[in-house]
C-alpha cells in the first residue's frame, strides 16, 4: 500500500532540495511547539519555515496544497503539515509531520483537562497566558497580510476575498457554502478567460488516471479501516455506551468539521451538554480558553470534551484512566481522517496541478480563505480586547423578529461594549504588533515577551 503512494513522489517533486528525515522531524517538532494562534498563525509559521527558510517546497506548491486542504473536513493546518511531510518523505514523512504538529498540543490539553477535571480552576492558566492571547492577535493579523499578499494577485481574487469576508462577518453563511461558491466562481472566471483565448490549454486528459484513481481508492479504504479500528474493541469491552459512544460521536464530527473548531463548536457543545450530559453549561467555553492558549490545532478542544466525557462516564474504569482514554479517542477520531484524506487524495491532486480549470477553482478558494481568516482575525480581536460582544441586527430589525423564531435571512454585525475594553490587552497587542511589523522580531520571541508581560500584569493587579 505504501509503495503505491510513494512511488510517484520523485517524479512529482519539482523542488530540488533534498530533505533529511531527521531535519524534517526537528522542523515539525519546532512547529508543533510554536503553533499558537489557530490556523492562520499556524499556516503562516509553516510557510515561513518550509517555504522561506528551508525552501523545501515552492510558493505555488504550498498554495496548491493549502487549497486542497481547505476543501477537506478537519484541521486544515494539520493536513497541510501532513501534505508537506508526504511531499518530502512519502507516507512516513506525512505521518511524522502530522503527528509532531499535533502531539505537543495534545499532551498539554490532556494535562490541563486533568487539572480542570479535578480542581475546576483555570484562573492561573488565564493569568499565565493573558499576554499570549494579545500576541496571537498580532500574529493572526500578520498572517492575513502575509497570505493575502501572495494569494490576492488579481482584482477578481480581491473581490472573492471581500465577498467571503462579508458572507461570514455580516451574513453568517456556512463556511462550506462560501468555499463552494468561491470554487464555482473560479471555474466560471476560467471558462470566460478561455473563451477569449482560443489558445488556452485547459489540461489534457491522462489515460493513466483510472489506474491511479483505483490506487487512491484502495489507499482510502485501508486508512478508513485504520481510522475505525478502535470501535470494535470498544464495543466488545464496554458495549455501546461510554467510551464507544465517545469515539462514535467524534468520528461523526470529523466528517463535518469544515472551517475548523469554530464551525463545529456550537453543535458539539449542544450535543455534549444537552444530549450526553458530558459537560455542564459554560464548560465548553472553558475548554476553548484552554485550547486557544496551547500549541496545535484549536480543534484540540474536542480532546478536552472527550476527556471530561471519559472522566465522568467511563463505565467502571477509574476516572483518570477513563478521561485519558476519552481524550485520546477523541483525538484519534478527529486527526486520523486527516491522514486518510492526504494519503489517498494528495497523489491525485498533485497530478492536477497543471490543469487550468482546477488551478483556477483552487486559487479562488485560496482567495476566499483570506477573507475567512480576516473574519476570524476580527472575531478574535473583538473577544480579546472586549469582555462583552453582542450583535447589532440590521435586517430584520430586532423589534420585527418574532420571539423564538430565527429569520430565514438576516444581516447583523458584531457590536462590542466599549465600556468593557481591556486596556492591558490593547497595550500588549499593540506592543506585539510593533515587535512583528516594525522591529521584525520572530514569533517565538514575541510570544515569550507578551506572555511574560501578561503574567506580570496579572500578578500585580
Amino acid at each position: 500500500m505504501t509503495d503505491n503512494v510513494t512511488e510517484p513522489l520523485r517524479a512529482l517533486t519539482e523542488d530540488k532540495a533534498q530533505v533529511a528525515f531527521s531535519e524534517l522531524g526537528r522542523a515539525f517538532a519546532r512547529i508543533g511547539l510554536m503553533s499558537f494562534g489557530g490556523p492562520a498563525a499556524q499556516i503562516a509559521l509553516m510557510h515561513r519555515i518550509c517555504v522561506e527558510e528551508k525552501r523545501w517546497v515552492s510558493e505555488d506548491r504550498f498554495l496548491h496544497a493549502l487549497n486542497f486542504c481547505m476543501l477537506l473536513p478537519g484541521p486544515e493546518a494539520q493536513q497541510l503539515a501532513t501534505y508537506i511531510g508526504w511531499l518530502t518523505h512519502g507516507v512516513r514523512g506525512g505521518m511524522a509531520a502530522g503527528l509532531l504538529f499535533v502531539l505537543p498540543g495534545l499532551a498539554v490539553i490532556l494535562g490541563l483537562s486533568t487539572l480542570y477535571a479535578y480542581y475546576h480552576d483555570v484562573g492561573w492558566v488565564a493569568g499565565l497566558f493573558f499576554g499570549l492571547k494579545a500576541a496571537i492577535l498580532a500574529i493572526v493579523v500578520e498572517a492575513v497580510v502575509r497570505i493575502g499578499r501572495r494569494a490576492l494577485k488579481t482584482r477578481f481574487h480581491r473581490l472573492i476575498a471581500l465577498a467571503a469576508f462579508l458572507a461570514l462577518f455580516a451574513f453568517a453563511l456556512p463556511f462550506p457554502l462560501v468555499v463552494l461558491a468561491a470554487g464555482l466562481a473560479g471555474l466560471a472566471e476560467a471558462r470566460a478567460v478561455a473563451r477569449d483565448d482560443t489558445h488556452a490549454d485547459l489540461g489534457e486528459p491522462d489515460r493513466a488516471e483510472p489506474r491511479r484513481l483505483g490506487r487512491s481508492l484502495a489507499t482510502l479504504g485501508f486508512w478508513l479501516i485504520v481510522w475505525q479500528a478502535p470501535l470494535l474493541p470498544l464495543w466488545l469491552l464496554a458495549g455501546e455506551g461510554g467510551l464507544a459512544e465517545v469515539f462514535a460521536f467524534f468520528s461523526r464530527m470529523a466528517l463535518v468539521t469544515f472551517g475548523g473548531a469554530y464551525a463545529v463548536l456550537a453543535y458539539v457543545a449542544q450535543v455534549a451538554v444537552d444530549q450526553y450530559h458530558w459537560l455542564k453549561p459554560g464548560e465548553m467555553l472553558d475548554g476553548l480558553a484552554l485550547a486557544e492558549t496551547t500549541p496545535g490545532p484549536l480543534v484540540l478542544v474536542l480532546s478536552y470534551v472527550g476527556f471530561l466525557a471519559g472522566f465522568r462516564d467511563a463505565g467502571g474504569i477509574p476516572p483518570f484512566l477513563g478521561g485519558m482514554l476519552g481524550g485520546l479517542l477523541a483525538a484519534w477520531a478527529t486527526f486520523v481522517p486527516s491522514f486518510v484524506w492526504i494519503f489517498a487524495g494528495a497523489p491525485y491532486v498533485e497530478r492536477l496541478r497543471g490543469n487550468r480549470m482546477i488551478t483556477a477553482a483552487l486559487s479562488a478558494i485560496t482567495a476566499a480563505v483570506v477573507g475567512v481568516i480576516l473574519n476570524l482575525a476580527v472575531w478574535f480581536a473583538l473577544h480579546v480586547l472586549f469582555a462583552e460582544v453582542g450583535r447589532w441586527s440590521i435586517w430584520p430589525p430586532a423589534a420585527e423578529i418574532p420571539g423564538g423564531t430565527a429569520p430565514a435571512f438576516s444581516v447583523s454585525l458584531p457590536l462590542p461594549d466599549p465600556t468593557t475594553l481591556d486596556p492591558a490587552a490593547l497595550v500588549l497587542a499593540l506592543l506585539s504588533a510593533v515587535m512583528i511589523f516594525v522591529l521584525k522580531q520572530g514569533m517565538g520571541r514575541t510570544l515569550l515577551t507578551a506572555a511574560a508581560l501578561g503574567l506580570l500584569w496579572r500578578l500585580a493587579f
Side-chain angles (χ1 to χ4, degrees):
M1 184 68 60
T2 300
D3 292 341
N4 289 340
V5 177
T6 59
E7 178 269 333
L9 281 177
R10 295 297 174 258
L12 286 172
T13 305
E14 63 190 22
D15 306 289
K16 302 301 183 183
Q18 296 297 316
V19 182
F21 187 76
S22 59
E23 185 183 3
L24 177 75
R26 286 193 298 270
F28 275 96
R30 174 189 170 197
I31 291 172
L33 290 170
M34 295 178 58
S35 57
F36 294 91
Q42 292 159 3
I43 291 169
L45 176 62
M46 268 187 280
H47 182 276
R48 178 177 298 173
I49 292 176
C50 298
V51 178
E52 296 181 355
E53 294 182 8
K54 304 292 186 180
R55 300 187 183 277
W56 288 341
V57 293
S58 65
E59 180 76 29
D60 289 342
R61 175 155 285 180
F62 182 89
L63 289 177
H64 184 80
L66 176 60
N67 293 336
F68 174 56
C69 294
M70 293 305 303
L71 291 174
L72 302 174
E76 62 271 18
Q78 188 229 357
Q79 291 161 354
L80 181 60
T82 304
Y83 200 120
I84 293 172
W86 174 84
L87 279 175
T88 58
H89 279 280
V91 170
R92 71 168 183 153
M95 293 287 293
L99 288 174
L100 289 171
F101 181 77
V102 170
L103 289 179
L106 177 60
V108 173
I109 200 70
L110 290 177
L112 294 176
S113 298
T114 301
L115 293 174
Y116 185 90
Y118 279 106
Y119 302 108
H120 293 272
D121 182 9
V122 295
W124 66 272
V125 177
L128 181 62
F129 292 105
F130 171 68
L132 194 61
K133 286 188 178 182
I136 289 171
L137 173 56
I139 290 171
V140 171
V141 172
E142 193 261 353
V144 174
V145 174
R146 179 187 295 268
I147 297 176
R149 187 180 294 124
R150 290 168 170 80
L152 306 183
K153 299 177 180 179
T154 66
R155 183 172 179 269
F156 172 75
H157 289 145
R158 290 190 286 273
L159 289 174
I160 289 287
L162 176 62
F165 171 76
L166 293 176
L168 295 171
F169 187 75
F171 298 95
L173 294 180
F175 175 83
L177 180 61
V178 174
V179 170
L180 177 62
L184 293 176
L187 285 174
E189 195 263 350
R191 288 189 179 278
V193 171
R195 283 197 297 268
D196 295 335
D197 182 5
T198 57
H199 301 287
D201 180 12
L202 300 182
E204 292 297 328
D206 189 341
R207 296 180 181 178
E209 283 305 325
R211 178 174 58 86
R212 291 168 178 167
L213 181 59
R215 289 179 177 177
S216 293
L217 292 176
T219 303
L220 176 64
F222 172 79
W223 285 101
L224 285 176
I225 293 173
V226 172
W227 176 33
Q228 291 299 299
L231 191 56
L232 181 58
L234 289 172
W235 274 343
L236 294 176
L237 293 175
E240 294 186 359
L243 294 175
E245 196 167 41
V246 171
F247 183 77
F249 172 72
F250 286 108
S251 293
R252 294 194 298 272
M253 288 301 96
L255 298 176
V256 297
T257 51
F258 292 94
Y262 292 116
V264 75
L265 190 61
Y267 177 72
V268 170
Q270 179 182 359
V271 174
V273 173
D274 297 335
Q275 180 176 335
Y276 291 116
H277 307 291
W278 291 334
L279 280 76
K280 300 174 184 177
E283 288 185 333
M284 176 62 82
L285 293 178
D286 292 338
L288 182 58
L290 294 178
E292 284 180 335
T293 53
T294 58
L298 188 59
V299 79
L300 278 169
V301 67
L302 300 184
S303 287
Y304 160 86
V305 177
F307 183 95
L308 292 185
F311 185 86
R312 294 167 176 172
D313 181 20
I317 300 176
F320 174 74
L321 179 58
M324 282 294 175
L325 288 174
L328 291 172
L329 286 170
W332 183 282
T334 301
F335 293 109
V336 170
S338 296
F339 299 111
V340 176
W341 314 137
I342 298 303
F343 294 153
Y348 190 72
V349 169
E350 278 294 302
R351 295 183 182 94
L352 294 177
R353 287 200 307 127
N355 186 293
R356 182 169 176 175
M357 300 299 291
I358 297 296
T359 300
L362 292 179
S363 64
I365 290 171
T366 300
V369 167
V370 174
V372 172
I373 297 175
L374 177 60
N375 175 68
L376 289 177
V378 173
W379 185 95
F380 195 64
L382 292 175
H383 287 81
V384 167
L385 301 178
F386 297 91
E388 296 182 11
V389 181
R391 290 199 74 86
W392 171 39
S393 179
I394 299 176
W395 180 264
E400 298 181 9
I401 300 177
T405 303
F409 173 79
S410 64
V411 182
S412 63
L413 297 175
L415 184 64
D417 183 351
T419 63
T420 64
L421 174 67
D422 188 336
L426 177 60
V427 170
L428 288 174
L430 292 175
L431 176 61
S432 300
V434 170
M435 291 185 67
I436 291 175
F437 288 100
V438 179
L439 302 179
K440 307 297 182 183
Q441 296 297 308
M443 188 178 302
R445 183 172 296 179
T446 303
L447 289 171
L448 289 175
T449 302
L453 292 175
L455 179 59
L456 290 174
W457 175 268
R458 284 298 177 91
L459 290 176
F461 299 97

